Amino acid sequence: MTENAPATDVMVKAEGIHKFFGRLHILRGIDLEVRSGQVMCVIGPSGSGKSTFLRCINHLEKIDSGRLWVDGHLVGYRQRGDKLHEMRESEVAAQRRDIGMVFQRFNLFPHMTALQNIMEAPIRVKGEPRQVVRERALRLLDQVGLSEKVDSYPSQLSGGQQQRVAIARALAMEPKLMLFDEPTSALDPELVGDVLDVMRRLAQDGMTMVVVTHEMGFAREVGDSLVFMDGGVVVEEGDPREVLTDPQHQRTRDFLSKVL
């Protein structure tokens, strides 16, 4: 792939991604591909680089070497010859419009209702007409099972409901790709199922998703591929059912023995 590669069915392509925080070498040469419509689940111990890699995909973290493309476009950089030149923040922001991200914490605006939270970005960032955005936001609230919470503020919602609003908010920008960074890890166990149900329906509708998760059942049932990361490298990748039942690497076996 070049800076603007011809359209392919590859939504995310990572080549030789390295990332340092000071002297800490967090990502040590990540090579991955996520195809359009595919759900890739990423698992691994705390500190393995999973969330950092996810944040690199939409340039919330800058990579130190390697190349990352989303939908055929180099992320965060422009290539001239063999040199990379960092894009202006406004250009990076324009790229991020196509990439939805849902975090562990919901980060909703506390002074806005559920509906207002969902409408804010399409109106302010994309300049879309308010009525068009309102209709889409109402549709999305219905899609995530919260049509009765239109006028509720975040403080009036449970954690699971807030996370579903956060998913609807990301979808309101009509992204090509959704990134989920352990979206259920901050939730009480009985609230996890509703959030995972929304993500299942997204997968069924063909949304391309990269999901950092501890939910092995979700990975087995919904994932098209499963990546196990440790120490900043991809240790193992394959069909989720095969990796979870018959891992090929001892490090994967050790990890799964603790979480399954």
Side-chain angles (χ1 to χ4, degrees):
M1 286 188 176
T2 58
E3 178 185 340
N4 291 319
T8 71
D9 66 344
V10 176
M11 181 59 74
V12 180
K13 183 175 176 64
E15 279 185 1
I17 302 301
H18 287 262
K19 173 66 183 176
F20 291 84
F21 289 123
R23 292 185 179 179
L24 280 177
H25 196 176
I26 303 296
L27 300 177
R28 299 169 175 261
I30 302 291
D31 296 304
L32 282 176
E33 277 190 6
V34 185
R35 300 196 168 274
S36 295
Q38 185 180 40
V39 178
M40 175 179 281
C41 293
V42 184
I43 63 172
S46 180
S48 58
K50 311 181 300 292
S51 294
T52 299
F53 174 64
L54 205 67
R55 292 169 66 85
C56 288
I57 293 175
N58 65 358
H59 208 61
L60 286 175
E61 296 290 354
K62 298 174 184 177
I63 61 177
D64 290 304
S65 63
R67 300 280 193 281
L68 253 172
W69 293 266
V70 170
D71 198 24
H73 299 283
L74 202 56
V75 173
Y77 298 92
R78 190 171 280 104
Q79 187 163 343
R80 296 194 189 99
D82 19 347
K83 290 226 170 123
L84 290 183
H85 300 268
E86 197 163 341
M87 286 180 172
R88 292 193 299 273
E89 186 55 41
S90 60
E91 295 172 302
V92 174
Q95 285 188 325
R96 285 199 193 111
R97 292 177 196 173
D98 291 331
I99 306 172
M101 187 157 185
V102 178
F103 300 88
Q104 293 178 41
R105 297 287 170 186
F106 328 119
N107 299 326
L108 298 177
F109 297 117
H111 61 290
M112 292 184 180
T113 64
L115 184 67
Q116 290 167 338
N117 263 284
I118 295 167
M119 292 176 62
E120 178 74 1
I123 291 171
R124 193 174 288 266
V125 177
K126 292 174 82 174
E128 292 187 72
R130 178 172 290 275
Q131 190 53 38
V132 171
V133 174
R134 179 182 167 81
E135 287 169 12
R136 185 189 313 146
L138 289 170
R139 214 165 45 242
L140 287 167
L141 275 170
D142 185 54
Q143 189 178 325
V144 299
L146 292 173
S147 52
E148 79 288 0
K149 299 293 186 183
V150 169
D151 296 319
S152 298
Y153 289 90
S155 62
Q156 299 169 310
L157 301 173
S158 70
Q161 290 169 336
Q162 289 185 61
Q163 191 62 294
R164 283 185 277 156
V165 172
I167 292 172
R169 180 177 61 179
L171 292 172
M173 292 291 282
E174 301 184 312
K176 301 172 182 174
L177 168 68
M178 284 287 285
L179 308 176
F180 292 88
D181 188 6
E182 299 189 16
T184 59
S185 65
L187 301 179
D188 292 333
E190 68 269 22
L191 303 176
V192 167
D194 290 338
V195 173
L196 293 180
D197 284 344
V198 170
M199 294 169 66
R200 280 188 192 92
R201 289 197 293 274
L202 277 181
Q204 288 164 1
D205 291 342
M207 175 62 74
T208 311
M209 297 157 62
V210 183
V211 185
V212 172
T213 186
H214 294 297
E215 302 291 341
M216 300 301 160
F218 175 86
R220 181 187 286 109
E221 178 194 344
V222 181
D224 297 298
S225 69
L226 182 65
V227 170
F228 172 63
M229 284 181 64
D230 189 32
V233 300
V234 173
V235 176
E236 189 159 351
E237 179 184 3
D239 180 279
R241 289 147 290 278
E242 292 175 8
V243 174
L244 291 171
T245 55
D246 186 25
Q248 300 303 298
H249 294 264
Q250 185 61 46
R251 182 66 193 94
T252 318
R253 288 194 285 272
D254 292 344
F255 174 75
L256 291 175
S257 72
K258 294 182 176 72
V259 298
L260 290 178

